Amino acid sequence: MKKLSTLKRGLVAATLIATSTVTFAKEVTIGYQGMFNPWKHAIAEKILEEETGYEIKWRRFDSGAKAITAMASGAVAMTSAGSSPIAAAVSRGVEMELVWILENIAEAEALVVTDEIKTPEDLKGKRIAVPFVSTTHFHMLFALEHYGLTEKDVKLINMQPSAISAAWQRGDIDGAFIWDPALGTLKKTGHVLVSSKELAALGKPTFDGFVVNKKFGQEDPEFVAKVIKTMATLDAEYRDNKATFDASSPIAMSISKVTGGDINTVADVLALYDFPTMEQQLSCEWLGCGAEGAATKALKATSEFLLEQKKINELMPDYSVFVNPSFAEAASKL
């Protein structure tokens, strides 16, 4: 009886172990921000969880700087972030790789100011809010340089997007370089002095990218490829239906749900961005061509500017090592 009892206990233990193996899927934490993009549909509808069987913890960040800090500490395995915080991070030695361009920012970020500010000269002495180490911070500094002004000529305030709308409505700030949904709020009573598209045309483009912890990417390349495949599929769905895209679209509903933005503004905001195709992603236009690729060149140019502004201490000898198109290549074959 004792032997039988021992055997039963062993069988129960083995059953529990087997059950736990089946029940508990691999867990990964993914960061995201509040920008409007088709990727939010995957978050809202748990598409990635269904495709991979992984348990995913979604973590929202108000800015790329905060997302990258979480990446550096190991709190997230992958996250979205702007080109400026990505450039700053890799220049500081954070072990991560750019694997996808979420969107070319174009007109989706802009400097909105009060009506009393008519020209760049009028910015002197004014209070301008911007999330520090973000793409808009980078473009704000570049705009000042272009206008012949410096940080000392204006009062730059480090403020997160969630606080900017309220500060604007209270009259605590005279302007902000920001993205939606805050951008839309400011536009209602202010006007655009300059957009990121205009500044990009002067040689300083910005984009939102998706970065992966280098070690995680090496250990689980199939998962990363599936993430990118999901992004590419949703981007294509939006592009294919852009002419008729409106608030009734499931993607629009998901974007509003995940970001908290007004669903009636989603279509207009998405139209401000450019969502590259898989072919464009893999070409010299973005992730491809090593040191000659646009993404590598943008990271290098951004880092050079950040060094001039004393926001980083040194440049990396080769920025192409931080751009990895292999996951997108694998995704294109799925």
Side-chain angles (χ1 to χ4, degrees):
M1 289 296 293
K2 186 175 181 180
K3 286 184 179 180
L4 182 59
S5 177
T6 301
L7 178 60
K8 284 183 177 179
R9 285 198 297 270
L11 288 171
V12 170
T15 301
L16 288 173
I17 291 172
T19 303
S20 66
T21 302
V22 173
T23 302
F24 296 105
K26 191 166 182 178
E27 183 180 288
V28 60
T29 302
I30 302 177
Y32 70 97
Q33 292 178 250
M35 296 90 72
F36 290 7
N37 51 39
W39 169 232
K40 298 300 187 296
H41 190 54
I43 299 174
E45 296 300 314
K46 297 187 180 299
I47 295 174
L48 200 56
E49 289 88 334
E50 293 178 9
E51 289 290 329
T52 65
Y54 280 41
E55 180 181 338
I56 300 176
K57 289 188 176 180
W58 297 100
R59 185 172 172 185
R60 179 168 177 167
F61 298 97
D62 281 340
S63 69
K66 290 190 174 183
I68 294 299
T69 297
M71 170 72 75
S73 70
V76 296
M78 48 184 72
T79 188
S80 57
S83 49
S84 182
I86 292 173
V90 296
S91 294
R92 292 173 180 141
V94 178
E95 289 287 312
M96 65 185 199
E97 296 177 323
L98 173 67
V99 298
W100 188 251
I101 305 298
L102 282 170
E103 55 256 345
N104 180 10
I105 289 173
E107 292 184 289
E109 293 182 353
L111 172 58
V112 179
V113 294
T114 58
D115 289 338
E116 65 177 22
I117 301 175
K118 308 291 185 184
T119 68
E121 187 71 17
D122 296 333
L123 288 171
K124 287 186 176 180
K126 296 300 189 291
R127 302 158 299 175
I128 307 298
V130 61
F132 281 10
V133 202
S134 66
T135 48
T136 56
H137 186 204
F138 165 63
H139 263 174
M140 184 71 223
L141 295 174
F142 177 57
L144 290 175
E145 181 184 69
H146 178 66
Y147 296 142
L149 302 172
T150 70
E151 284 186 82
K152 295 180 180 178
D153 293 317
V154 299
K155 296 177 181 176
L156 287 186
I157 304 170
N158 184 13
M159 192 175 291
Q160 297 305 307
S162 56
I164 285 177
S165 294
W168 172 266
Q169 291 168 346
R170 290 193 305 267
D172 292 345
I173 55 176
D174 303 299
F177 209 137
I178 197 60
W179 54 85
D180 281 287
L183 177 60
T185 300
L186 272 62
K187 281 181 176 178
K188 291 177 182 178
T189 53
H191 69 277
V192 174
L193 189 65
V194 67
S195 73
S196 284
K197 184 176 183 178
E198 295 171 78
L199 296 171
L202 296 173
K204 293 292 189 293
T206 54
F207 60 82
D208 290 320
F210 195 71
V211 292
V212 174
N213 173 279
K214 189 172 182 178
K215 184 179 179 182
F216 179 86
Q218 292 171 339
E219 293 177 347
D220 204 342
E222 290 184 11
F223 177 76
V224 179
K226 287 179 180 178
V227 172
I228 291 175
K229 178 65 175 180
T230 300
M231 290 177 171
T233 300
L234 290 172
D235 284 349
E237 184 178 338
Y238 167 71
R239 287 193 307 271
D240 293 345
N241 298 283
K242 188 174 181 179
T244 57
F245 188 88
D246 59 23
S248 66
S249 164
I251 288 179
M253 294 178 188
S254 291
I255 290 173
S256 177
K257 177 183 177 181
V258 173
T259 67
D262 182 353
I263 194 169
N264 295 308
T265 68
V266 172
D268 288 340
V269 172
L270 287 188
L272 300 175
Y273 288 108
D274 174 39
F275 300 98
T277 65
M278 179 66 80
E279 292 71 26
Q280 290 173 319
Q281 297 267 0
L282 293 173
S283 73
C284 298
E285 192 172 342
W286 285 112
L287 302 174
C289 301
E292 295 304 310
T296 296
K297 287 182 176 180
L299 291 181
K300 182 181 179 182
T302 301
S303 298
E304 288 171 344
F305 185 79
L306 293 174
L307 182 64
E308 285 178 24
Q309 298 290 325
K310 295 181 172 57
K311 304 302 179 184
I312 58 175
N313 296 322
E314 61 181 348
L315 295 176
M316 293 290 105
D318 180 12
Y319 282 86
S320 68
V321 299
F322 304 111
V323 179
N324 188 346
S326 68
F327 301 107
E329 290 169 356
S332 70
K333 299 171 184 176
L334 293 177

